Amino acid sequence: PGPVVVQVARDTRPSGVAITEAVQAAVALINKCCCLSTGTPLIRVVDHGIMTTPALHNLVFWHRWTGGSNPHFNAVAEGCFSTADRTALTQGTFASGQGLSIYANSLSISVGKLREILPKAVSTTTAAATTTDAVKKHIVIDCSNGVGAVVMRTILSLDNSPLASMFQWHLLKDVVADSSQLNEKCGADYVQKTQVPITDFHDSLVQIVTAELNNTSSTAFSLSLIPI
């Protein structure tokens, strides 16, 4: 067996860098004291950089599922991962940014497959279904000026992404460069604790609705707000 793979990631808070370095230092100390019979390190750290918790969990799950010749992985991975991505998941060796790209791509493909299944399960011949299909679906995401913005930009930048094309996306509070803006009057915790909308939400909503009404003859469309 090869070394144990420990995958780490962080959000956009400056403290995340120090925490990651502390983990790597601890692993280096362990490897200095212990190693495999082949002389290779006992533990290998994979640093994915900035990434959301669900994305990291997804990569850990796939890596653990690829142990040996797992028929379930082979069946699910077919059509979801490139050869290079499957190798990365199996061996736990990721190029810079590859982990986030794998997560975004697999999530988008999964949504696309779900969209193929749904018409078979729900009849679209009824008047109600026809009306629903005609409704423009808008998703507004409060990115909390944090890591959510990084992940969503990656997902929406994919070529031929089913997830990107399924809805009209609007990212609010997506300033990542300035860490002092993280969760500043935005985000799920802020909305839950204060029971007030994020700052500038009403103005952003008016702009979205106005633009939609100006660009279409239909006055029916749906809009959802997701705080993260």
Short mmCIF file of all heavy atoms in Angstrom, two decimals, residues 30-69:
data_model
loop_
_atom_site.label_atom_id
_atom_site.label_comp_id
_atom_site.label_asym_id
_atom_site.label_seq_id
_atom_site.Cartn_x
_atom_site.Cartn_y
_atom_site.Cartn_z
N ILE A 30 5.52 13.76 11.53
CA ILE A 30 5.16 12.34 11.60
C ILE A 30 6.00 11.54 10.60
O ILE A 30 6.52 10.46 10.92
CB ILE A 30 3.66 12.16 11.32
CG1 ILE A 30 2.82 12.81 12.42
CG2 ILE A 30 3.31 10.67 11.18
CD1 ILE A 30 1.33 12.79 12.15
N ASN A 31 6.12 12.06 9.39
CA ASN A 31 6.89 11.36 8.36
C ASN A 31 8.37 11.26 8.73
O ASN A 31 9.05 10.31 8.31
CB ASN A 31 6.74 12.07 7.02
CG ASN A 31 5.38 11.83 6.37
OD1 ASN A 31 4.73 10.83 6.66
ND2 ASN A 31 4.94 12.76 5.55
N LYS A 32 8.87 12.21 9.51
CA LYS A 32 10.26 12.17 9.93
C LYS A 32 10.50 11.03 10.92
O LYS A 32 11.60 10.45 10.96
CB LYS A 32 10.64 13.52 10.56
CG LYS A 32 12.12 13.67 10.85
CD LYS A 32 12.43 15.06 11.35
CE LYS A 32 13.93 15.23 11.61
NZ LYS A 32 14.25 16.61 12.10
N CYS A 33 9.45 10.73 11.69
CA CYS A 33 9.57 9.68 12.70
C CYS A 33 9.17 8.31 12.16
O CYS A 33 9.66 7.29 12.64
CB CYS A 33 8.71 10.01 13.91
SG CYS A 33 9.12 11.57 14.72
N CYS A 34 8.25 8.31 11.20
CA CYS A 34 7.72 7.05 10.70
C CYS A 34 7.70 7.07 9.17
O CYS A 34 7.45 8.12 8.57
CB CYS A 34 6.29 6.80 11.21
SG CYS A 34 6.09 6.96 12.99
N CYS A 35 7.91 5.93 8.58
CA CYS A 35 7.80 5.81 7.13
C CYS A 35 7.42 4.39 6.78
O CYS A 35 7.47 3.48 7.63
CB CYS A 35 9.10 6.20 6.43
SG CYS A 35 10.49 5.12 6.81
N LEU A 36 7.04 4.17 5.55
CA LEU A 36 6.68 2.84 5.10
C LEU A 36 7.93 1.99 4.93
O LEU A 36 9.06 2.49 4.92
CB LEU A 36 5.90 2.94 3.77
CG LEU A 36 4.59 3.74 3.82
CD1 LEU A 36 4.01 3.87 2.43
CD2 LEU A 36 3.58 3.09 4.76
N SER A 37 7.73 0.69 4.79
CA SER A 37 8.86 -0.23 4.64
C SER A 37 9.69 0.08 3.40
O SER A 37 10.88 -0.24 3.34
CB SER A 37 8.35 -1.67 4.57
OG SER A 37 7.44 -1.83 3.49
N THR A 38 9.07 0.73 2.43
CA THR A 38 9.78 1.09 1.18
C THR A 38 10.62 2.35 1.35
O THR A 38 11.36 2.74 0.45
CB THR A 38 8.78 1.30 0.05
OG1 THR A 38 7.85 2.33 0.43
CG2 THR A 38 8.01 0.02 -0.25
N GLY A 39 10.46 3.01 2.51
CA GLY A 39 11.19 4.24 2.74
C GLY A 39 10.43 5.48 2.33
O GLY A 39 10.90 6.60 2.55
N THR A 40 9.26 5.31 1.74
CA THR A 40 8.44 6.46 1.34
C THR A 40 7.69 7.01 2.54
O THR A 40 7.46 6.29 3.53
CB THR A 40 7.43 6.05 0.25
OG1 THR A 40 6.62 4.98 0.76
CG2 THR A 40 8.14 5.60 -1.01
N PRO A 41 7.29 8.29 2.51
CA PRO A 41 6.59 8.89 3.64
C PRO A 41 5.30 8.13 3.97
O PRO A 41 4.65 7.57 3.08
CB PRO A 41 6.29 10.31 3.17
CG PRO A 41 7.32 10.58 2.12
CD PRO A 41 7.55 9.27 1.45
N LEU A 42 4.94 8.15 5.24
CA LEU A 42 3.73 7.47 5.68
C LEU A 42 2.47 8.23 5.23
O LEU A 42 1.45 7.64 4.92
CB LEU A 42 3.73 7.34 7.21
CG LEU A 42 2.55 6.62 7.86
CD1 LEU A 42 2.54 5.16 7.45
CD2 LEU A 42 2.62 6.76 9.37
N ILE A 43 2.57 9.56 5.21
CA ILE A 43 1.42 10.41 4.90
C ILE A 43 1.81 11.41 3.82
O ILE A 43 2.91 11.97 3.84
CB ILE A 43 0.92 11.18 6.15
CG1 ILE A 43 0.59 10.21 7.28
CG2 ILE A 43 -0.29 12.04 5.81
CD1 ILE A 43 0.26 10.90 8.59
N ARG A 44 0.90 11.65 2.90
CA ARG A 44 1.12 12.66 1.86
C ARG A 44 -0.03 13.64 1.88
O ARG A 44 -1.20 13.26 1.88
CB ARG A 44 1.22 12.00 0.48
CG ARG A 44 1.45 12.99 -0.66
CD ARG A 44 1.94 12.28 -1.92
NE ARG A 44 1.03 11.22 -2.32
CZ ARG A 44 -0.09 11.43 -3.04
NH1 ARG A 44 -0.43 12.66 -3.39
NH2 ARG A 44 -0.86 10.41 -3.40
N VAL A 45 0.29 14.93 1.93
CA VAL A 45 -0.73 15.98 2.00
C VAL A 45 -1.02 16.52 0.61
O VAL A 45 -0.10 16.84 -0.15
CB VAL A 45 -0.29 17.14 2.92
CG1 VAL A 45 -1.32 18.27 2.90
CG2 VAL A 45 -0.08 16.64 4.33
N VAL A 46 -2.29 16.62 0.29
CA VAL A 46 -2.73 17.27 -0.96
C VAL A 46 -3.43 18.57 -0.58
O VAL A 46 -4.46 18.55 0.10
CB VAL A 46 -3.70 16.37 -1.76
CG1 VAL A 46 -4.22 17.11 -2.99
CG2 VAL A 46 -3.01 15.08 -2.16
N ASP A 47 -2.87 19.68 -0.97
CA ASP A 47 -3.43 21.00 -0.65
C ASP A 47 -4.20 21.51 -1.86
O ASP A 47 -3.61 21.85 -2.88
CB ASP A 47 -2.31 21.97 -0.27
CG ASP A 47 -2.83 23.34 0.14
OD1 ASP A 47 -4.07 23.51 0.23
OD2 ASP A 47 -2.00 24.23 0.37
N HIS A 48 -5.52 21.59 -1.74
CA HIS A 48 -6.38 22.05 -2.84
C HIS A 48 -6.52 23.57 -2.86
O HIS A 48 -7.19 24.10 -3.76
CB HIS A 48 -7.76 21.41 -2.73
CG HIS A 48 -7.77 19.94 -3.00
ND1 HIS A 48 -7.58 19.41 -4.26
CD2 HIS A 48 -7.93 18.87 -2.17
CE1 HIS A 48 -7.65 18.08 -4.20
NE2 HIS A 48 -7.85 17.74 -2.95
N GLY A 49 -5.96 24.25 -1.87
CA GLY A 49 -6.08 25.70 -1.85
C GLY A 49 -7.48 26.12 -1.43
O GLY A 49 -8.09 25.52 -0.54
N ILE A 50 -8.02 27.15 -2.09
CA ILE A 50 -9.34 27.67 -1.74
C ILE A 50 -10.43 26.77 -2.33
O ILE A 50 -10.47 26.54 -3.54
CB ILE A 50 -9.51 29.11 -2.24
CG1 ILE A 50 -8.51 30.03 -1.53
CG2 ILE A 50 -10.93 29.61 -2.03
CD1 ILE A 50 -8.54 31.46 -2.02
N MET A 51 -11.31 26.28 -1.46
CA MET A 51 -12.35 25.34 -1.90
C MET A 51 -13.43 25.26 -0.82
O MET A 51 -13.14 25.39 0.37
CB MET A 51 -11.73 23.96 -2.14
CG MET A 51 -12.68 22.87 -2.58
SD MET A 51 -11.83 21.29 -2.81
CE MET A 51 -10.90 21.61 -4.31
N THR A 52 -14.67 25.03 -1.23
CA THR A 52 -15.76 24.88 -0.26
C THR A 52 -15.68 23.51 0.42
O THR A 52 -15.08 22.57 -0.10
CB THR A 52 -17.13 25.00 -0.94
OG1 THR A 52 -17.22 24.00 -1.96
CG2 THR A 52 -17.34 26.38 -1.54
N THR A 53 -16.32 23.40 1.58
CA THR A 53 -16.35 22.13 2.31
C THR A 53 -17.00 21.01 1.50
O THR A 53 -16.45 19.90 1.44
CB THR A 53 -17.08 22.31 3.65
OG1 THR A 53 -16.40 23.32 4.42
CG2 THR A 53 -17.10 21.01 4.45
N PRO A 54 -18.16 21.24 0.85
CA PRO A 54 -18.75 20.16 0.04
C PRO A 54 -17.82 19.68 -1.08
O PRO A 54 -17.79 18.49 -1.38
CB PRO A 54 -20.02 20.80 -0.53
CG PRO A 54 -20.37 21.87 0.43
CD PRO A 54 -19.05 22.42 0.90
N ALA A 55 -17.07 20.59 -1.69
CA ALA A 55 -16.16 20.20 -2.76
C ALA A 55 -15.05 19.30 -2.22
O ALA A 55 -14.70 18.28 -2.82
CB ALA A 55 -15.55 21.44 -3.42
N LEU A 56 -14.50 19.65 -1.05
CA LEU A 56 -13.45 18.84 -0.44
C LEU A 56 -14.00 17.47 -0.05
O LEU A 56 -13.36 16.44 -0.29
CB LEU A 56 -12.87 19.55 0.78
CG LEU A 56 -11.76 18.80 1.51
CD1 LEU A 56 -10.56 18.57 0.60
CD2 LEU A 56 -11.33 19.56 2.77
N HIS A 57 -15.18 17.44 0.55
CA HIS A 57 -15.81 16.17 0.92
C HIS A 57 -16.01 15.29 -0.31
O HIS A 57 -15.80 14.07 -0.26
CB HIS A 57 -17.16 16.42 1.59
CG HIS A 57 -17.04 16.93 2.98
ND1 HIS A 57 -18.13 17.26 3.76
CD2 HIS A 57 -15.95 17.16 3.77
CE1 HIS A 57 -17.71 17.67 4.95
NE2 HIS A 57 -16.40 17.62 4.97
N ASN A 58 -16.40 15.91 -1.42
CA ASN A 58 -16.63 15.17 -2.65
C ASN A 58 -15.35 14.50 -3.14
O ASN A 58 -15.36 13.33 -3.53
CB ASN A 58 -17.19 16.12 -3.72
CG ASN A 58 -17.49 15.43 -5.03
OD1 ASN A 58 -16.64 15.34 -5.90
ND2 ASN A 58 -18.71 14.96 -5.19
N LEU A 59 -14.25 15.22 -3.11
CA LEU A 59 -12.98 14.68 -3.58
C LEU A 59 -12.46 13.56 -2.66
O LEU A 59 -11.92 12.56 -3.12
CB LEU A 59 -11.94 15.79 -3.69
CG LEU A 59 -12.22 16.84 -4.77
CD1 LEU A 59 -11.24 17.99 -4.66
CD2 LEU A 59 -12.17 16.22 -6.16
N VAL A 60 -12.64 13.76 -1.34
CA VAL A 60 -12.25 12.71 -0.39
C VAL A 60 -13.07 11.45 -0.63
O VAL A 60 -12.55 10.33 -0.62
CB VAL A 60 -12.41 13.21 1.05
CG1 VAL A 60 -12.22 12.06 2.05
CG2 VAL A 60 -11.41 14.33 1.35
N PHE A 61 -14.36 11.64 -0.84
CA PHE A 61 -15.25 10.51 -1.09
C PHE A 61 -14.82 9.73 -2.33
O PHE A 61 -14.68 8.50 -2.30
CB PHE A 61 -16.68 11.02 -1.27
CG PHE A 61 -17.63 9.99 -1.82
CD1 PHE A 61 -18.15 9.00 -1.01
CD2 PHE A 61 -17.99 10.01 -3.17
CE1 PHE A 61 -19.03 8.04 -1.52
CE2 PHE A 61 -18.85 9.06 -3.68
CZ PHE A 61 -19.38 8.09 -2.86
N TRP A 62 -14.56 10.46 -3.42
CA TRP A 62 -14.19 9.79 -4.67
C TRP A 62 -12.85 9.08 -4.53
O TRP A 62 -12.65 7.97 -5.04
CB TRP A 62 -14.13 10.79 -5.82
CG TRP A 62 -15.47 11.09 -6.42
CD1 TRP A 62 -16.15 12.27 -6.36
CD2 TRP A 62 -16.29 10.19 -7.17
NE1 TRP A 62 -17.34 12.17 -7.03
CE2 TRP A 62 -17.46 10.90 -7.54
CE3 TRP A 62 -16.16 8.87 -7.56
CZ2 TRP A 62 -18.48 10.32 -8.27
CZ3 TRP A 62 -17.19 8.29 -8.30
CH2 TRP A 62 -18.33 9.02 -8.65
N HIS A 63 -11.91 9.71 -3.83
CA HIS A 63 -10.60 9.08 -3.66
C HIS A 63 -10.72 7.79 -2.84
O HIS A 63 -10.11 6.77 -3.19
CB HIS A 63 -9.63 10.03 -2.96
CG HIS A 63 -8.31 9.40 -2.62
ND1 HIS A 63 -7.43 8.97 -3.58
CD2 HIS A 63 -7.75 9.10 -1.42
CE1 HIS A 63 -6.36 8.44 -3.00
NE2 HIS A 63 -6.54 8.50 -1.69
N ARG A 64 -11.51 7.81 -1.79
CA ARG A 64 -11.68 6.61 -0.96
C ARG A 64 -12.43 5.53 -1.72
O ARG A 64 -12.20 4.34 -1.51
CB ARG A 64 -12.45 6.96 0.32
CG ARG A 64 -11.69 7.88 1.26
CD ARG A 64 -12.45 8.13 2.54
NE ARG A 64 -12.65 6.89 3.29
CZ ARG A 64 -13.37 6.80 4.41
NH1 ARG A 64 -13.96 7.88 4.89
NH2 ARG A 64 -13.50 5.66 5.03
N TRP A 65 -13.31 5.94 -2.62
CA TRP A 65 -14.11 4.98 -3.38
C TRP A 65 -13.32 4.31 -4.49
O TRP A 65 -13.73 3.30 -5.04
CB TRP A 65 -15.33 5.68 -3.97
CG TRP A 65 -16.57 4.85 -3.92
CD1 TRP A 65 -16.87 3.84 -3.03
CD2 TRP A 65 -17.70 4.95 -4.78
NE1 TRP A 65 -18.11 3.32 -3.28
CE2 TRP A 65 -18.65 3.98 -4.36
CE3 TRP A 65 -18.02 5.76 -5.86
CZ2 TRP A 65 -19.87 3.80 -4.98
CZ3 TRP A 65 -19.25 5.59 -6.46
CH2 TRP A 65 -20.17 4.62 -6.04
N THR A 66 -12.17 4.88 -4.83
CA THR A 66 -11.40 4.35 -5.94
C THR A 66 -10.39 3.30 -5.51
O THR A 66 -9.61 2.83 -6.33
CB THR A 66 -10.63 5.46 -6.67
OG1 THR A 66 -9.75 6.10 -5.73
CG2 THR A 66 -11.57 6.48 -7.26
N GLY A 67 -10.36 2.96 -4.23
CA GLY A 67 -9.39 1.99 -3.75
C GLY A 67 -9.54 0.65 -4.46
O GLY A 67 -10.62 0.06 -4.47
N GLY A 68 -8.47 0.16 -5.07
CA GLY A 68 -8.53 -1.10 -5.79
C GLY A 68 -9.35 -0.97 -7.06
O GLY A 68 -9.52 0.11 -7.62
N SER A 69 -9.87 -2.08 -7.52
CA SER A 69 -10.71 -2.09 -8.73
C SER A 69 -12.17 -2.06 -8.30
O SER A 69 -12.83 -3.09 -8.19
CB SER A 69 -10.41 -3.33 -9.57
OG SER A 69 -9.06 -3.34 -9.97
#
